[in-house]
Amino acid sequence: MTRNLILSFETSCDETSVAVIENGDKILSNIVATQIKSHQRFGGVVPEVASRHHIEQITGCINDALRKADVDYADLDAVAVTYGPGLVGALLIGVTAAKAVAWAHHLPLIPVNHLAGHIYGARLVAPIEFPAMALVVSGGHTELVYMPKENQFEIIGETRDDAAGEAYDKIGRVLGINYPAGKQVDSMAHKGTDTFHFPRAMDNDETFDFSFSGLKSAFINTVHHADQIHETLDKNDLAASFQQAVIDVLADKTVRALKTYPVKQLILAGGVAANRGLRDRLESEINAFPNTKLALVPLSLCGDNAAMIGAAGEMLYRYQTFTDATLNADPGLEFAWLGEAES
């Protein structure tokens, strides 16, 4: 088999990452420089701070990725980069660096949708089987994506307000948890019980869309009311009640989608895909679908990383989906509607 090597970049938010991926499914290197500590004092990602960190880290990440993979620019077949969605300033750093490398070394430049990267990160564990369904859950996105064939995407459900990960961070502040709150809320949830029975918004709605703003508000109002009457609430029970509401909606919508769109594989991807409660629930629910396999992206690859961009980039390389120096960041990038992508 011909060896295909792609140098990939991911800078859509607060992780500066560069990777070298072989044949779309083997990680030779995956360097991730996190900025979490820089943003914790602000309680969330500050775009200007993120951009400055990307500028400081990008060159070192490129050098480390090539060195760890034991390859040089002459060994590469292409360069892939996230160009959206994300923070425009952060995206521009990765796009500019990727364009510079591609131009200087006469390499094809592959534009990658960040969400496609999260989905195709599953390739780094096992081949994706089509038709497939992906539940992408992160700080900025909550979407159900149907993929009838390779390189075809249709968003059949998405959040109408807060993404699930965003809601975790917002209620985390109320619980006194530093950003990002998801991992600690998940840990606390396993020590508590669902005693508050928060609303499951849109759970019985006919669409596959999500809404977590009302849940977030109900949580905050419950805590504020208790403070006003000097009542002490169990934080573990609060976390468990919040998480159970999130998981119920995500799982129920996904199960309904699987009944409507029979698929060979269900992929759970995105930062919130690391949530133990959600992973356990989907592993249980998938038993009702004997013809569908559950693909769980490894915990180490749930967050933003360049390895997943390289996995998606290799697929696009085979479709000759290249761009040139006019490539720009697209912070509001969406998937092409079903039928617009190449079959």
Side-chain angles (χ1 to χ4, degrees):
M1 181 177 179
T2 303
R3 192 183 193 208
N4 176 276
L5 296 180
I6 292 180
L7 180 70
S8 52
F9 293 77
E10 160 58 35
T11 63
S12 64
C13 191
D14 60 342
E15 310 285 359
T16 309
S17 184
V18 182
V20 178
I21 303 300
E22 181 178 346
N23 299 331
D25 57 11
K26 182 179 180 181
I27 301 174
L28 299 188
S29 64
N30 185 33
I31 307 301
V32 180
T34 184
Q35 306 175 10
I36 288 177
K37 290 184 178 179
S38 295
H39 297 284
Q40 278 183 337
R41 55 183 168 155
F42 302 110
V45 178
V46 179
E48 177 65 18
V49 173
S51 299
R52 289 180 180 273
H53 275 286
H54 288 312
I55 292 171
E56 295 170 358
Q57 298 288 344
I58 194 71
T59 302
C61 287
I62 295 172
N63 293 335
D64 289 347
L66 292 172
R67 182 167 52 251
K68 185 173 182 180
D70 194 23
V71 301
D72 202 347
Y73 290 109
D75 301 314
L76 301 175
D77 292 281
V79 176
V81 61
T82 298
Y83 74 109
L87 302 174
V88 63
L91 289 166
L92 280 170
I93 309 305
V95 168
T96 302
K99 288 197 293 187
V101 171
W103 178 82
H105 299 281
H106 309 288
L107 294 167
L109 180 62
I110 305 168
V112 179
N113 183 309
H114 177 74
L115 299 183
H118 272 303
I119 294 169
Y120 272 82
R123 288 188 69 195
L124 300 168
V125 179
I128 297 178
E129 300 178 34
F130 299 93
M133 180 82 69
L135 174 62
V136 183
V137 197
S138 69
H141 305 277
T142 303
E143 297 175 333
L144 275 168
V145 184
Y146 174 60
M147 299 176 291
K149 297 179 180 179
E150 185 176 66
N151 202 27
Q152 286 193 347
F153 307 89
E154 180 186 1
I155 296 177
I156 62 171
E158 60 189 333
T159 183
R160 295 187 180 180
D161 39 59
D162 289 352
E166 184 181 5
Y168 267 92
D169 288 333
K170 288 180 178 177
I171 68 100
R173 292 177 201 146
V174 178
L175 292 174
I177 301 172
N178 283 336
Y179 166 88
K183 184 176 181 180
Q184 191 168 343
V185 172
D186 184 26
S187 178
M188 292 170 63
H190 282 78
K191 301 173 185 176
T193 56
D194 179 11
T195 59
F196 293 95
H197 308 295
F198 291 125
R200 275 70 166 159
M202 298 184 68
D203 199 16
N204 297 316
D205 187 86
E206 292 182 358
T207 73
F208 299 115
D209 287 347
F210 306 93
S211 172
F212 297 105
S213 181
L215 168 61
K216 172 202 67 181
S217 297
F219 181 98
I220 294 173
N221 289 339
T222 297
V223 174
H224 285 177
H225 176 70
D227 289 343
Q228 290 170 353
I229 62 174
H230 306 292
E231 178 184 358
T232 300
L233 303 180
D234 187 290
K235 290 187 175 181
N236 290 334
D237 286 348
L238 282 167
S241 300
F242 171 82
Q243 177 152 299
Q244 192 60 56
V246 172
I247 291 174
D248 282 350
V249 173
L250 290 173
D252 290 348
K253 293 276 186 174
T254 301
V255 166
R256 283 183 45 222
L258 291 175
K259 291 178 180 178
T260 306
Y261 297 84
V263 295
K264 294 181 179 179
Q265 198 171 54
L266 170 64
I267 299 167
L268 175 62
V272 183
N275 183 283
R276 188 156 41 110
L278 179 57
R279 292 169 86 93
D280 290 347
R281 176 67 174 273
L282 289 183
E283 284 181 328
S284 174
E285 296 284 3
I286 204 69
N287 292 326
F289 302 89
N291 297 320
T292 303
K293 300 176 183 176
L294 177 62
L296 297 174
V297 174
L299 296 180
S300 61
L301 297 176
C302 286
D304 293 346
N305 66 88
M308 68 186 193
I309 302 305
E314 189 276 337
M315 178 273 294
L316 293 169
Y317 180 89
R318 287 185 278 108
Y319 284 88
Q320 300 289 288
T321 306
F322 303 138
T323 185
D324 55 29
T326 63
L327 179 67
N328 200 359
D330 187 347
L333 180 67
E334 297 182 356
F335 280 122
W337 189 251
L338 182 62
E340 291 181 358
E342 295 186 54
S343 59

